[in-house]
Amino acid sequence: MADRSCWNCGAMNAPDARWCTNCNSYLGWDKEAAASGGASAPPSGAGGSGAATTESPGPAPDGGTEVGTPGGDGADGAPGGDGASAPPAGTTAAAGNGPAPGSPEVTVATPEVTLTPDEPAQVQVEVENPTKVVDGYDVVLVDPPEWLDLVVPEIHLMPGASDDVGLTLVMRPGPMVVAQRVEAALRISSQEDARRYALATVVVDVPRHGPRVGIAANPAMIRLEDVGEGEFTLTLDNRTANFPQTLNLSAKDPEDVVRFRFPSTTVEVEPGSTAEVRVGFTAPQPPPGEQRNRQLSVAATDGDGPIATTITLVQSTEAAPVDVPITVQVQPSTIRLEDAQDAEFDVLIDNRAGHSNVIVGLTGTDPEQRLSFAFTPARFGAAAGKVTKARGLVRAVPPPPGSQATHPFTVVASDGTTDVSGQAELEMTSSAAAIATAELRANPERLDLGHGRQGRFTVEIDNRRGVRPLNVAISGRSDDGAVRATFDPATILVAPGAIGYSRVSLTSPRPPAGQQGSRRLHVTASDGSQDLDASIEIEQTRPNHRPAVGRWLIALGALMVIVGALFLPWFDGIGPPQLNPVAIVQSILTSSGLQSEFVEGPVRILLVVLGVLMLLGIAGKDGGLSRKSAVLVVLLGAGYLVFLAVTPGMTLSALDVGLPVIWIGAAVGYAGGILVRMKD
């Protein structure tokens, strides 16, 4: 058999060669064409062999996705296949910026497929060979996930031909594949030249599959003895599902008395795994010596509803020991108060004989309902085997001052069902009122005003023996009501153990002249309910100056009479009287014949004697001699005038100072005698 000449490059090949060893061109065109009855092989090139004529590849079928870069007419992209020869088969061309000319054209008919562990996914791809040579193609996954594998049939295409290729995506054996959607990149590359390739993308959907979460509680039966708290483990099994499941946890019991504690009520269980949740609970204990069974229902709820499991709870308690009732004691049992209204005491709750704690509340009562109570604390727990102390306060209105009262009362401790009481009594004593022990004193107790009308003294309120403050108002009055007293201050607040003072100013009218008066001023200090009294004696005197003045007047009058009678002239001369009445009287008496010179001397002597008698009347007790002598002096002087007026031959002239002085002295002496007589 002769060597076969390559129709493309003219190189000589073995007779049975199917691919040119020089340009890697397909050498079986003539045989395939003869077998199919088609066109003859292209003529050979150099050496007289002609090249076969091929049609350029047509467009991709409608409805597909065409991916890749169309190639040229030749393997190297030169028109008519002329140019540099392609690299030999089995060599890998260096990758450039993109697929080389002549890259296959790929259309993905199924861009999205569903893949499950039991059912592979079929991907339909149309591959077109745009070159003028027969080419085979390899399909691989680019950076696939570990669980994805691709099964590819052999792909060989004639020049310009296309074919639908079925690719198979399968899951590799191994761990569970989580439900997801991923994009798988396909690389379809030429077996003749790796630089000629196309890329395609297929979306692979791994659907969710698997059952709902399984739920189990461990332990399934819980026993509690003399305790009310426990816990269990809840196991959520999602090992056979390829998707996460979110569950809401809840629990209940038929009686709705058990309280559950979840770390979180929402739990997400990852696919192919399990989750454990520690659940605590509190259940009321049964009565002592009894057993109680409860069914606890625990549910995990998802979108399809709850998934439940049950737990049996068995609770039992020991028989309760016999408790001795508590006792109440009030200390001190007798509370004594003096001048106060509040008292504190202790309440002792004795639970030493008891075996359980007791919650007690304290109250206080008294038969008379005159007391009020307060306790700290008013409600508390009395621990078993101990004595618990509380503080109590009792308040009462104090008895009247100076009296005593006793109030019995009861402290009751109650636990809601049983009352226990303790007895005590409150003795209250009130000191006497401050005014009962106070003293009121006037200092001084006797006040001598002498000849005056006003005076001052001090009032002392002594509260040194009192235990309470004393507030009193001070007033004063005299027996005759004539004394006016002013107190500064009029109201005094005296502290216990102290002395208060008030300054008193008084005015008292004087007694009659020449007498001594005595008055008593009564001072009262009152607190509104009781009074304190004190008195002060007021002494006054009033001298009688009238007798002394009268004596001085008598002496002055007698002196004037004596001086007027002995030393002072009576008339300047004797002439005819100037008054008609005198003349008339004179004319009547002209027959007497008496002369003035025989009368005036004796008259003067008599006047002197009367003046001396008037002066001697000072020694009398009532001034009677002085008054009589004064009257006689006046009468004698008047008679002498009458004598002169009626005596013939006598003529009255202007009256001189003698007789007026005598008359004035007589009047003064008479007035003095009157004053001497006026003793009261």
Side-chain angles (χ1 to χ4, degrees):
M1 182 178 293
D3 292 338
R4 179 177 290 183
S5 175
C6 179
W7 61 268
N8 185 34
C9 65
M12 297 305 291
N13 297 278
D16 57 350
R18 294 182 60 85
W19 303 92
C20 177
T21 59
N22 182 37
C23 66
N24 204 29
S25 296
Y26 187 67
L27 300 179
W29 288 105
D30 52 344
K31 295 180 178 180
E32 294 177 0
S36 62
S40 61
S44 60
S49 62
T53 303
T54 60
E55 297 180 2
S56 60
D62 294 338
T65 301
E66 184 174 345
V67 183
T69 302
D73 293 337
D76 56 357
D82 297 335
S85 61
T91 62
T92 302
N97 293 331
S103 296
E105 295 180 1
V106 179
T107 302
V108 180
T110 55
E112 182 174 341
V113 295
T114 300
L115 179 62
T116 65
D118 301 329
E119 185 177 354
Q122 299 296 322
V123 180
Q124 296 297 322
V125 179
E126 182 183 359
V127 182
E128 181 181 354
N129 179 11
T131 65
K132 295 180 180 181
V133 297
V134 177
D135 199 354
Y137 295 94
D138 296 326
V139 181
V140 295
L141 292 172
V142 180
D143 295 331
E146 295 180 355
W147 51 267
L148 185 61
D149 202 358
L150 178 66
V151 179
V152 183
E154 290 187 2
I155 305 173
H156 294 285
L157 297 176
M158 299 300 289
S162 63
D163 191 10
D164 290 333
V165 179
L167 306 178
T168 303
L169 292 173
V170 296
M171 289 186 183
R172 294 178 180 177
M176 177 183 293
V177 179
V178 179
Q180 57 187 301
R181 287 172 61 88
V182 297
E183 290 186 352
L186 301 176
R187 180 184 177 93
I188 303 95
S189 58
S190 171
Q191 294 177 353
E192 297 294 332
D193 186 357
R195 295 176 301 173
R196 297 197 297 266
Y197 67 91
L199 297 176
T201 302
V202 177
V203 177
V204 180
D205 181 15
V206 180
R208 297 170 55 171
H209 68 85
R212 298 173 68 187
V213 169
I215 181 172
N218 185 29
M221 177 180 288
I222 302 174
R223 293 183 180 273
L224 298 179
E225 295 182 0
D226 295 323
V227 292
E229 293 187 355
E231 61 180 11
F232 58 88
T233 301
L234 193 64
T235 303
L236 305 174
D237 189 352
N238 195 29
R239 290 177 294 179
T240 57
N242 72 335
F243 59 95
Q245 300 192 48
T246 301
L247 305 170
N248 292 324
L249 303 180
S250 62
K252 64 179 180 178
D253 66 293
E255 297 174 336
D256 196 22
V257 295
V258 181
R259 297 295 176 259
F260 297 88
R261 300 183 298 275
F262 294 91
S264 175
T265 57
T266 301
V267 178
E268 182 175 348
V269 187
E270 297 297 329
S273 64
T274 61
E276 291 186 352
V277 179
R278 201 73 174 172
V279 182
F281 64 89
T282 301
Q285 299 185 53
E290 296 184 10
Q291 177 177 307
R292 182 164 296 175
N293 298 338
R294 292 187 172 94
Q295 292 295 323
L296 309 181
S297 177
V298 184
T301 305
D302 58 10
D304 296 331
I307 308 168
T309 185
T310 59
I311 301 172
T312 301
L313 174 61
V314 179
Q315 289 181 277
S316 61
T317 56
E318 293 183 357
V322 178
D323 279 334
V324 177
I326 61 174
T327 61
V328 178
Q329 183 180 3
V330 180
Q331 288 186 349
S333 58
T334 300
I335 305 171
R336 293 178 175 84
L337 282 181
E338 183 175 357
D339 297 325
Q341 62 179 2
D342 295 334
E344 293 185 350
F345 57 91
D346 292 329
V347 180
L348 303 182
I349 308 299
D350 190 348
N351 195 23
R352 289 176 293 182
H355 295 84
S356 60
N357 297 340
V358 179
I359 303 299
V360 297
L362 298 181
T363 57
T365 60
D366 67 294
E368 301 173 335
Q369 295 185 353
R370 294 183 179 181
L371 308 181
S372 57
F373 300 89
F375 298 93
T376 305
R379 186 173 182 82
F380 57 93
K386 295 183 178 179
V387 176
T388 306
K389 181 187 294 185
R391 196 67 174 166
L393 175 68
V394 60
R395 172 176 293 179
V397 177
S403 63
Q404 182 178 354
T406 300
H407 305 286
F409 65 91
T410 302
V411 176
V412 180
S414 174
D415 61 359
T417 58
T418 305
D419 294 343
V420 183
S421 61
Q423 307 297 324
E425 65 179 9
L426 174 65
E427 293 183 358
M428 304 185 70
T429 303
S430 291
S431 300
I435 198 169
T437 57
E439 294 182 3
L440 180 66
R441 295 188 295 270
N443 186 15
E445 296 181 354
R446 183 177 181 279
L447 181 63
D448 189 355
L449 299 182
H451 304 325
R453 301 179 57 193
Q454 296 180 345
R456 294 177 180 273
F457 66 97
T458 302
V459 174
E460 298 178 356
I461 299 93
D462 190 346
N463 194 27
R464 288 178 295 182
R465 293 188 299 168
V467 295
R468 298 179 180 178
L470 176 62
N471 190 3
V472 293
I474 303 177
S475 59
R477 59 178 177 79
S478 61
D479 295 333
D480 57 359
V483 179
R484 297 292 179 264
T486 303
F487 299 88
D488 182 23
T491 301
I492 302 176
L493 177 62
V494 186
I499 299 176
Y501 299 91
S502 178
R503 293 177 294 276
V504 186
S505 300
L506 61 85
T507 301
S508 177
R510 290 180 294 183
Q515 296 183 6
Q516 181 176 359
S518 177
R519 291 185 174 91
R520 184 165 293 277
L521 177 64
H522 300 278
V523 180
T524 302
S526 174
D527 65 352
S529 59
Q530 298 184 34
D531 297 340
L532 293 176
D533 294 320
S535 63
I536 181 172
E537 186 176 357
I538 303 172
E539 298 289 342
Q540 290 177 283
T541 59
R542 185 174 182 180
N544 189 358
H545 299 290
R546 286 176 291 186
V549 173
R551 291 183 177 87
W552 282 104
L553 291 178
I554 292 174
L556 178 61
L559 182 61
M560 292 178 65
V561 171
I562 294 173
V563 171
L566 295 179
F567 303 103
L568 297 179
W570 293 358
F571 303 97
D572 289 339
I574 299 175
Q578 300 295 324
L579 297 176
N580 292 332
V582 176
I584 294 171
V585 173
Q586 184 178 7
S587 62
I588 294 173
L589 299 174
T590 52
S591 61
S592 62
L594 297 176
Q595 299 294 326
S596 61
E597 57 267 16
F598 296 106
V599 177
E600 183 176 346
V603 171
R604 285 180 180 266
I605 294 173
L606 288 175
L607 290 175
V608 172
V609 172
L610 291 175
V612 173
L613 292 176
M614 185 185 302
L615 187 61
L616 293 176
I618 294 175
K621 294 183 179 180
D622 57 357
L625 180 60
S626 298
R627 293 193 303 275
K628 294 175 182 179
S629 298
V631 172
L632 292 176
V633 168
V634 173
L635 293 176
L636 181 59
Y640 177 67
L641 287 178
V642 173
F643 170 76
L644 292 180
V646 300
T647 300
M650 296 296 295
T651 301
L652 294 177
S653 61
L655 191 62
D656 207 345
V657 297
L659 282 177
V661 170
I662 293 172
W663 288 336
I664 293 173
V668 171
Y670 187 83
I674 296 297
L675 292 178
V676 170
R677 188 184 63 178
M678 295 176 61
K679 296 181 180 180
D680 298 331

